[in-house]
């Protein structure tokens, strides 16, 4: 009896989201075919496309389907025309609600400096050589979700908040990852100023003492870490941090890779995972077939890991590496290769791996 199809909910979203998602799905389908598995893909609206159709940014049907999927693939959300809108009428709210609905509290964002791309970075090749780190960004709490929050006349406020339990569960993911890597975790906070960070630091230290004495733990303030990320990035292996700091530090870290279009992510919790490139909807290049799909395709590699196809996951990663090594470059990497051509190159590289 053949195994049942892998049930994917695809949420292309806005801007370049549909363009990169299409290529990611093609690669996913090929990789699954190699393993003798078929895909059952349901595409649904989220973000600006949902709002444009008169629905919520996260329509109920999208939420329900995502919760029942084996895995969820997302392109990007956000459209400039919604920029002036209140929070609950913004495309981004759809993504935040989806993360909450899926309970994906740990967002894994790996960053590697690829030697063939070092000339694209404003950083010196010797600073970049050997950079291979992963940021574990807490995804369901912090100032993103804290209450109360409001604009009241001349004053606006948000609440930065973490509970011990929220810190512990994401720190645990970081320590477990570190056991499989270099046994070294940097925890990034702002404990010299923020009570939230003081509790964060205490909780991470306590967990290390109790359960991970084999892992070396260091703490660093976020301002200083932001500097070291471009000055001496090799010192980082596993980095764990809160939602807001993680958002900012990972766009900064994209400079190490050469383009934000290259960076994948996996958001994990206790249910289906959410797989999305870290970049946004890139309205400046949307609809032109020039976006780099490799971040989305790299996210498919992590997706394959969580649906029990680790060999296919490694094959997709190797295919991405070989396409870059062969010199294929989208516009952001200084080349002329289109979005769909890049997807085709990865598919072809998969065949020969
Ligand atoms: P962005 O990541 O969309 O774009 C920043 C820059 O990077 C732009 O110059 C863009 O052209 C370039 N870029 C991004 N992805 C690329 C790719 N795959 N290939 C080539 N170039 C790429 O960030 P922004 O401009 O700050 O945000 C645009 C919209 O996207 C906003 O509405 C924002 O809220 C939203 N956003 C969504 C997500 C998400 O859905 N996960 C993430 C970040 C931003
Ligand atoms: C990201 C994005 C999102 C975030 C926005 C679009 C809500 O910037 O995934 O990095 O801030 O988490
Ligand atoms: Mn971001």
């Amino acid at each position: 009896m053949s195994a049942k199809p892998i049930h994917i909910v695809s949420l292309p979203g806005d801007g370049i989201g549909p363009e990169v998602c299409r290529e990611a799905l093609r690669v996913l389908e090929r990789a699954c075919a190699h393993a003798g598995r078929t895909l059952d893909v349901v595409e649904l609206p989220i973000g600006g496309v949902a709002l444009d159709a008169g629905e919520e940014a996260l329509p109920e049907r999208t939420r329900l389907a995502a919760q029942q999927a084996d895995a969820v693939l997302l392109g990007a959300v956000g459209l400039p025309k919604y920029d002036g809108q209140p929070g609950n009428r913004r495309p981004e709210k759809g993504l935040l609600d989806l993360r909450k609905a899926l309970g994906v509290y740990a967002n894994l964002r790996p960053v590697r400096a690829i030697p063939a791309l070092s000339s694209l970075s404003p950083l010196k090749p010797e600073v970049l050589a050997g950079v291979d780190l992963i940021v574990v960004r807490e995804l369901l709490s912090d100032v993103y979700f804290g209450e109360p929050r409001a604009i009241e006349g001349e004053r606006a406020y948000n609440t930065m908040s973490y509970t011990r339990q929220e810190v512990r569960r994401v720190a645990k993911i970081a320590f477990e990852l570190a056991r499989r890597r270099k046994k070294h975790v940097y925890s990034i906070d702002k404990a010299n100023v923020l009570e939230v960070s003081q509790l964060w630091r205490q909780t991470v230290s306590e967990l290390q003492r109790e359960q991970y004495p084999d892992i070396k733990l260091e703490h660093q303030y976020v301002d200083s870490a932001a500097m070291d990320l471009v000055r001496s990035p090799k010192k980082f292996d596993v980095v764990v941090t809160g939602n807001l700091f993680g958002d900012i530090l990972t766009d900064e870290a994209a400079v190490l890779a050469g383009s934000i279009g290259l960076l994948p992510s996996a958001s994990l919790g206790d249910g289906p995972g959410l797989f999305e490139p870290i970049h946004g909807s890139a309205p400046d290049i949307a609809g032109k077939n020039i976006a780099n799909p490799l971040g989305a395709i790299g996210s498919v590699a992590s997706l394959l890991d969580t649906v029990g196809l680790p060999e296919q996951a490694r094959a997709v990663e190797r295919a991405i590496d070989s396409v870059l090594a062969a010199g294929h470059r989208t516009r952001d990497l200084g080349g002329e290769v289109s979005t769909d051509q890049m997807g085709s190159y990865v598919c072809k590289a998969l065949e020969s791996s």
Side-chain angles (χ1 to χ4, degrees), residues 234-257:
K234 265 190 291 272
K235 73 178 229 184
F236 297 109
D237 186 46
V238 175
V239 173
V240 64
T241 191
N243 204 345
L244 182 63
F245 298 156
D247 180 47
I248 298 166
L249 291 176
T250 49
D251 268 32
E252 186 192 1
V255 175
L256 304 168

Side-chain angles (χ1 to χ4, degrees), residues 54-353:
E55 299 187 79
E56 302 280 305
L58 178 65
E60 182 76 355
R61 62 197 170 106
T62 302
R63 180 179 65 78
L64 286 171
Q67 286 171 325
Q68 284 155 23
D70 291 323
V72 182
L73 180 68
L74 182 121
V77 296
L79 291 177
K81 70 173 176 183
Y82 287 101
D83 279 353
Q85 296 291 309
N88 60 354
R89 295 296 304 160
R90 294 188 59 102
E92 292 84 352
K93 179 75 164 48
L95 177 55
L96 298 174
D97 287 351
L98 176 69
R99 290 170 177 169
K100 199 81 177 179
L102 292 174
V104 286
Y105 60 85
N107 179 217
L108 276 46
R109 298 185 159 189
V111 182
R112 269 187 315 137
I114 299 169
L117 297 180
S118 71
S119 64
L120 294 170
S121 178
L123 302 174
K124 297 192 185 88
E126 61 269 28
V127 173
L128 294 174
V131 168
D132 179 1
L133 59 90
I134 182 162
V135 177
V136 180
R137 168 191 177 197
E138 197 287 330
L139 205 58
L140 294 185
S141 187
D142 203 350
V143 71
Y144 273 65
F145 291 94
E147 296 285 348
R149 58 189 296 161
I151 302 179
E152 284 171 2
E154 295 301 300
R155 174 174 179 256
Y157 50 87
N158 290 91
T159 302
M160 183 178 258
S161 151
Y162 266 112
T163 65
R164 241 178 225 289
Q165 182 259 347
E166 286 167 341
V167 178
R168 256 183 105 87
R169 67 181 179 178
V170 75
K172 195 170 175 56
I173 300 278
F175 286 127
E176 291 292 331
L177 265 175
R179 273 205 176 135
R180 287 180 268 131
R181 295 176 56 111
K182 293 186 183 150
K183 298 191 176 354
H184 188 194
V185 171
Y186 264 99
S187 174
I188 309 300
D189 62 38
K190 187 72 187 171
N192 48 346
V193 176
L194 303 172
E195 281 77 4
V196 166
S197 285
Q198 289 155 16
L199 180 110
W200 175 283
R201 194 176 274 222
Q202 261 175 22
T203 307
V204 175
S205 297
E206 190 180 272
L207 181 65
Q208 186 270 342
R209 275 196 308 275
E210 288 169 6
Q211 294 182 25
Y212 299 95
D214 54 319
I215 308 292
K216 181 168 182 209
L217 171 65
E218 295 189 71
H219 302 277
Q220 190 169 6
Y221 299 133
V222 63
D223 44 358
S224 160
M227 180 175 67
D228 279 357
L229 205 48
V230 286
R231 192 180 63 163
S232 45
K234 265 190 291 272
K235 73 178 229 184
F236 297 109
D237 186 46
V238 175
V239 173
V240 64
T241 191
N243 204 345
L244 182 63
F245 298 156
D247 180 47
I248 298 166
L249 291 176
T250 49
D251 268 32
E252 186 192 1
V255 175
L256 304 168
S259 165
I260 194 165
L262 291 167
L263 293 206
S265 90
S267 303
L268 307 175
D270 300 323
L274 172 63
F275 301 87
E276 45 170 324
I278 85 158
H279 63 73
S281 58
D284 52 332
I285 57 164
K288 297 182 178 162
N289 194 27
I290 58 172
N292 189 340
L294 293 182
I297 294 173
S299 306
V300 153
S302 312
L303 186 160
L304 286 161
D305 268 325
T306 65
V307 298
L309 297 175
E311 283 173 29
Q312 313 308 324
R314 299 295 81 74
V316 170
E317 286 169 354
R318 282 196 305 274
I320 293 173
D321 286 349
S322 73
V323 162
L324 288 173
H328 302 304
R329 305 273 185 272
T330 41
R331 192 77 63 93
D332 54 314
L333 305 178
E336 296 286 320
V337 173
S338 63
T339 308
D340 59 339
Q341 276 166 349
M342 202 64 167
S344 300
Y345 283 130
V346 178
C347 287
K348 207 181 283 162
L350 259 185
E351 300 304 323
S352 49
S353 80

